[in-house]
Amino acid sequence: MAKATNGAGPCRPTPTHSHEGIRLMNIEIGKLAPGLARCPADSAQDIIARDKVQAPDWVRSESYAFLGSADIDTRRYTDPEFARDEYRKLWTRTWQFACREEHVPNVGDYYVYDIGAYSFIVTRVAQDDIRAYFNACLHRGTKLRASGTEGCASEFKCPFHGWSWNLDGTNRNITCQWDFPHVDPREFSLPQARVAILGGFVWINMDPDAPELVDYLGPEALAHMQAWALERRYIHLHVQKSFPANWKLTVEAFLEAYHVIETHPQVAVSNADANSQYDIYGDHVNRFISLLGVCSPHLAGQYTEQDVLDQFTVGDGTMLDADRPRVGDGTARQVMADLFRAMFEQATKTDLSRVSDSEMLDCFSYTIFPNTYLFPGISLPMVYRFRPDPKDHRRCIFEVMFLRPVPVPGERPAPADIVVLTDAQSFTEAEGMDPGFGRILDQDTDNLHAQQEGVEASAKGGLTLGNYQEIRVRHFERAVDKYMSMAPYRPDIDTLRR
Ligand code: FES
Ligand SMILES: [Fe+2]
């Protein structure tokens, strides 16, 4: 991707920061009711309101609520029994992104999605009909398609004894049917999970009693998603790597910008971290808006607007001084928005003149519980997916997908093949990965390793969260609690046929 790197170049000042200034300013603010205190700097909405190309309503709104200050019990990250319970209560009842529609563009195309021991063949049965079959033979249980595979099929035939099913899930063949007088082929269709299509994503849910996806998201979050039209994008780059921590710790590592100043100081000069905005929507969706092109409040007064702009544009330090974009009388943020618009218009062959400066620049991070992150912005147009490693509750399978607009006019490009990195590899080694962003993910990986070990070693046994900046962590864990308080649900063929 042609995005300018956020990495600190050798010719720029090294960020230094002091938490003391903000601590002193917060003495007064700390007297407010819990949850009302905010970083004493311009808010994200203040800054967005000054932009030249105005942001849409879904950007210009806030939806925070205080949810308490109690510690989060660390047992949920360390206890294998808790992880086993999640498979029975949480993963069997929640909506999960299984694949993109462009993974199965034609009738007969299929894509295998696994969550824990569960496995699904997501397949297009007709132009407007995508189904998700439980990936197990109804004879003696053999997996019909191997995990991690995709392709095109006219039937799903079991490799063991050759029983087979039509694309529509009806039974096609029972080998030596004379020996199975007790099997009525009409009763032996492949069981299905529920499927919903939204934003070009194929979502599945094993629970027949779960709310519809649109109700699960709620009206406000649904309206946001519909405004993004992510169905008009495609996967340009798809990278997978295992993180050395429980899946919930891993999800939470990306839910706040609070850690940026300490973990990713190289981006703080041009990233408004402490005044990021946090919102929650119903039980299953939350978001933050983290602004780019403005300096971290932790570094207030240390950098000029030109310094902030240089963070983005100078890159590896090889740019000639004469070529450096200048702020002039404007702001780094405005110059960046204009530069990004021109750069992405050229890269994607699309007209972005009416896309707001905020959408061009800022990081919008939405979490759809339990394990999908959507980033609908233009500069960081990503999807994250987190799945527990079924063999080790201390590990998480992480995927990042970069979405690009489908060229207009033009054919929809095929989705990128997945690049799987080993534990020893850096994210920067994935071909096409922005090196600055790959470095950020490597820094998060190091943290997760230390955090998993720390929660195992902890005598405190609880995570203490900030009321505002870590509200998404609390909101996420509240949803975990909601599902973990439910009775176990194991998909069974009779319930699924109802
Ligand atoms: S296990 Fe599938 S045909 Fe026998
Ligand atoms: Fe991070």
Side-chain angles (χ1 to χ4, degrees):
M1 185 170 300
K3 184 169 86 64
T5 175
N6 292 359
C11 60
R12 290 190 298 279
T14 304
T16 57
H17 66 277
S18 160
H19 301 293
E20 185 63 9
I22 285 179
R23 192 188 70 78
L24 292 173
M25 284 186 279
N26 268 332
I27 287 174
E28 287 304 309
I29 292 170
K31 294 174 184 165
L32 296 169
L36 291 184
R38 297 289 181 274
C39 171
D42 280 353
S43 72
Q45 292 296 337
D46 292 338
I47 296 166
I48 289 169
R50 294 197 290 264
D51 287 341
K52 190 170 68 183
V53 183
Q54 281 297 296
D57 289 347
W58 66 265
V59 174
R60 302 290 302 275
S61 60
E62 294 190 65
S63 182
Y64 169 82
F66 176 62
L67 298 177
S69 297
D71 276 7
I72 305 293
D73 189 342
T74 55
R75 197 182 63 84
R76 67 188 55 219
Y77 311 113
T78 60
D79 183 357
E81 185 54 37
F82 195 95
R84 277 193 287 276
D85 245 12
E86 288 173 347
Y87 287 119
R88 292 186 281 251
K89 298 176 177 176
L90 189 155
W91 295 108
T92 51
R93 291 186 184 278
T94 47
W95 284 98
Q96 294 156 53
F97 147 50
C99 67
R100 290 273 302 168
E101 270 199 276
E102 70 252 28
H103 282 124
V104 287
N106 302 309
V107 172
D109 290 345
Y110 68 89
Y111 186 99
V112 177
Y113 170 72
D114 288 351
I115 181 68
Y118 291 106
S119 182
F120 299 89
I121 302 172
V122 180
T123 186
R124 190 178 289 273
V125 176
Q127 211 44 50
D128 58 352
D129 187 359
I130 294 177
R131 300 188 188 179
Y133 300 122
F134 283 77
N135 187 10
C137 179
L138 299 189
H139 177 220
R140 279 165 57 188
T142 306
K143 210 173 243 187
L144 294 171
R145 284 289 184 278
S147 293
T149 61
E150 56 187 301
C152 187
S154 57
E155 64 171 354
F156 298 110
K157 185 175 183 184
C158 179
F160 199 170
H161 310 94
W163 290 30
S164 67
W165 284 267
N166 296 306
L167 276 186
D168 67 2
T170 54
N171 182 269
R172 172 183 282 202
N173 174 61
I174 292 175
T175 308
C176 298
Q177 191 163 2
W178 57 263
D179 207 15
F180 295 87
H182 47 295
V183 171
D184 179 350
R186 291 169 303 181
E187 295 288 311
F188 262 51
S189 295
L190 291 174
Q192 299 174 39
R194 293 166 62 191
V195 170
I197 312 293
L198 182 65
F201 297 87
V202 180
W203 307 82
I204 68 164
N205 193 318
M206 294 179 234
D207 181 2
D209 295 324
E212 297 291 339
L213 176 63
V214 293
D215 298 322
Y216 183 91
L217 298 171
E220 202 168 355
L222 178 65
H224 292 198
M225 286 187 70
Q226 288 169 334
W228 308 332
L230 294 182
E231 62 275 9
R232 295 207 291 266
R233 299 193 193 181
Y234 71 98
I235 298 177
H236 170 69
L237 175 66
H238 188 168
V239 179
Q240 175 177 311
K241 193 179 174 198
S242 175
F243 274 128
N246 179 271
W247 75 275
K248 298 186 297 304
L249 275 188
T250 312
V251 166
E252 291 163 13
F254 299 90
L255 284 174
E256 37 83 5
Y258 181 42
H259 71 287
V260 168
I261 191 68
E262 204 60 46
T263 300
H264 313 298
Q266 75 275 16
V267 303
V269 174
S270 53
N271 187 327
D273 50 3
N275 48 351
S276 294
Q277 177 179 316
Y278 297 85
D279 299 296
I280 58 177
Y281 304 98
D283 288 343
H284 300 116
V285 183
N286 59 50
R287 78 165 177 185
F288 74 49
I289 306 177
S290 183
L291 269 53
L292 267 67
V294 280
C295 192
S296 163
H298 291 285
L299 307 174
Q302 295 185 40
Y303 294 92
T304 65
E305 287 288 312
Q306 187 64 48
D307 291 333
V308 174
L309 180 60
D310 288 349
Q311 274 287 306
F312 274 101
T313 56
V314 174
D316 59 6
T318 57
M319 179 181 277
L320 294 175
D321 191 57
D323 294 336
R324 275 171 60 203
R326 307 287 172 176
V327 167
D329 294 335
T331 62
R333 180 171 169 84
Q334 193 58 61
V335 175
M336 282 311 310
D338 295 341
L339 280 172
F340 270 40
R341 189 172 286 105
M343 192 165 63
F344 280 93
E345 280 185 338
Q346 191 181 30
T348 62
K349 309 274 187 288
T350 48
D351 175 12
L352 301 173
S353 58
R354 283 188 288 186
V355 176
S356 68
D357 297 336
S358 180
E359 291 166 278
M360 288 309 312
L361 288 175
D362 299 330
C363 176
F364 301 94
S365 155
Y366 282 73
T367 304
I368 317 297
F369 186 83
N371 66 333
T372 304
Y373 270 65
L374 302 179
F375 297 78
I378 303 292
S379 69
L380 216 52
M382 302 185 297
V383 178
Y384 288 167
R385 178 163 63 184
F386 301 83
R387 288 176 291 167
D389 182 335
K391 297 190 190 72
D392 186 350
H393 67 284
R394 297 186 186 92
R395 296 197 72 87
C396 175
I397 302 161
F398 169 75
E399 291 162 88
V400 54
M401 293 158 238
F402 292 84
L403 302 184
R404 276 196 172 179
V406 174
V408 181
E411 288 281 299
R412 170 180 282 276
D417 288 338
I418 191 164
V419 178
V420 180
L421 298 174
T422 66
D423 291 352
Q425 282 184 293
S426 159
F427 277 98
T428 60
E429 294 177 53
E431 196 178 332
M433 176 76 82
D434 176 86
F437 187 69
R439 184 176 170 212
I440 288 173
L441 291 177
D442 287 344
Q443 291 168 325
D444 291 320
T445 310
D446 293 342
N447 275 356
L448 283 164
H449 184 79
Q451 194 186 12
Q452 181 67 41
E453 293 196 344
V455 294
E456 309 251 357
S458 172
K460 175 165 171 267
L463 311 186
T464 301
L465 302 177
N467 288 334
Y468 183 65
Q469 294 180 91
E470 292 173 308
I471 189 63
R472 294 176 77 199
V473 178
R474 186 172 300 286
H475 182 253
F476 169 76
E477 288 296 357
R478 205 170 69 142
V480 170
D481 289 341
K482 171 182 159 176
Y483 284 92
M484 294 302 278
S485 69
M486 293 181 178
Y489 167 64
R490 185 179 188 286
D492 73 82
I493 198 162
D494 293 329
T495 313
L496 293 164
R497 275 199 188 117
R498 267 192 303 172

